[in-house]
Amino acid sequence: MITDASSDAGRPSTTDEPPLFATMSTLRAMRRLKADPVPDELLERLIQAAVWGPSGGNMQRYQYVVVTDREVMAELAPLWQRCVDSYLATTGKYPPEGMDPAAYDRMVAAIRHQRDNFADTPALIIPCYQFPPPRIEEEGLRASAEALGAEATNRMAQTQERFMALAEGSCVYPGVQNMLLAARALGLAANLTIWHLFLEEEWKRVLGIPEDMHTFAVVPVGWPLGRFGPVRRRPVEEVIHRDRW
C-alpha cells in the first residue's frame, strides 16, 4: 500500500518540489495503530531503508531487532507501561513551553492509548549499535593533542562519554529517519521513542540483546487509526541564524 503523501499535506506536489518534501511535511508521530499485522516484506523494506542511511566511518555496525511475536509483545507491554508512567509523572507532566495545552492534551491522550494497547502493536523495531574498540596509538594521541591544543584536549577528555554517545547516535539515527520516511511512504504509522531506556536492561533481557550492545530507540509500526496530516512546527525564520548566532 503506497499512498500519496502530498494529498494529506493539503497541496499537490509540483514539478519543482520533489515528492520527498510532501512526505516529510506529513511525517507525524502516529501512536494510534490498528492491530492488523504488517507483512514481513514491508518490515524488511523499512530495514532496507534504514541500512541505506549513512553510518560514521562507513562501519555499518547497526543491528535491528524486529518484534512481531504476540508472546514477546505481551512481555514488553508491562515494561512499556512503566516507562510511559514514569515519563508522564515527570518530564511529561506539563506541556512544553510555547505548546498549546489543548494540543498537548491530545498528544498525551495518544500516548496513553499507545500505552494501554501496546500488547496489540503489530511490530516493533529496536535499532542497536556498538562501536568497535578504538585503535589509537600513543603517537596518534600526541598528534591529536598537538592538533587540538592543550585546552581543547582537556575538554575532550572531560566530555569523552558524551562524544562517544553522540558518535554512536549519529551512526544510528540517520537510518531511523530513513525508516520513518519509508513507513510514511508505504502508508504505515510509526513513531520514534527512547522511553524504553528507563528500563533498558529489562528490555534487553526480554529480547536477548547482548549486554554490551546499545539500544537507541523503540519504533512501533502498524497501520494507522486516523489520518496523516501536516506537521505543525516553528517557522523557519524563528530558528535560523545566518553566518553567526
Side-chain angles (χ1 to χ4, degrees):
M1 176 181 177
I2 299 178
T3 62
D4 177 9
S6 63
S7 62
D8 286 320
R11 51 182 171 76
S13 294
T14 60
T15 55
D16 59 350
E17 182 178 69
L20 175 61
F21 280 74
T23 300
M24 291 189 293
S25 73
T26 60
L27 186 59
R28 296 173 52 210
M30 302 287 283
R31 299 180 175 91
R32 300 178 188 271
L33 308 177
K34 297 178 181 178
D36 302 11
V38 177
D40 284 344
E41 56 267 27
L42 292 187
L43 295 174
E44 290 178 9
R45 290 184 72 182
L46 299 186
I47 302 303
Q48 176 63 81
V51 168
W52 283 331
S55 174
N58 198 29
M59 288 184 288
Q60 303 186 43
R61 302 271 296 185
Y62 36 67
Q63 301 288 331
Y64 295 90
V65 179
V66 180
V67 180
T68 56
D69 185 275
R70 294 299 92 197
E71 293 183 6
V72 177
M73 206 75 75
E75 287 187 73
L76 294 174
L79 298 179
W80 184 254
Q81 177 169 350
R82 291 167 61 192
C83 292
V84 172
D85 288 348
S86 173
Y87 169 78
L88 292 178
T90 53
T91 306
K93 189 172 184 179
Y94 303 104
E97 183 179 353
M99 185 174 185
D100 175 54
Y104 185 71
D105 288 345
R106 291 193 296 271
M107 186 181 80
V108 170
I111 290 171
R112 287 177 173 149
H113 174 91
Q114 187 177 56
R115 176 197 64 189
D116 297 342
N117 295 275
F118 195 81
D120 296 325
T121 303
L124 293 178
I125 300 176
I126 297 92
C128 306
Y129 203 90
Q130 182 189 53
F131 259 159
R135 295 184 296 176
I136 302 176
E137 302 170 350
E138 186 174 347
E139 179 182 356
L141 289 174
R142 286 198 301 268
S144 173
E146 182 178 346
L148 295 177
E151 183 179 348
T153 297
N154 184 54
R155 286 200 306 267
M156 279 295 298
Q158 295 175 0
T159 60
Q160 187 65 19
E161 184 176 350
R162 178 172 181 265
F163 179 86
M164 290 301 296
L166 289 173
E168 279 194 317
S170 69
C171 293
V172 177
Y173 291 123
V176 174
Q177 182 66 9
N178 271 11
M179 183 194 307
L180 295 174
L181 287 167
R184 175 65 189 93
L186 293 167
L188 289 165
N191 73 288
L192 166 65
T193 176
I194 61 170
W195 294 338
H196 77 291
L197 293 175
F198 296 151
L199 295 171
E200 184 182 25
E201 294 306 313
E202 290 84 346
W203 278 73
K204 288 167 75 170
R205 278 198 294 271
V206 170
L207 297 173
I209 298 173
E211 286 188 17
D212 58 354
M213 179 66 71
H214 297 155
T215 65
F216 285 83
V218 166
V219 182
V221 179
W223 302 109
L225 272 174
R227 290 178 54 81
F228 295 100
V231 298
R232 294 176 176 84
R233 299 291 186 264
R234 294 171 62 188
V236 170
E237 58 269 19
E238 290 186 6
V239 300
I240 193 169
H241 305 267
R242 296 192 182 278
D243 299 322
R244 61 183 69 235
W245 189 278

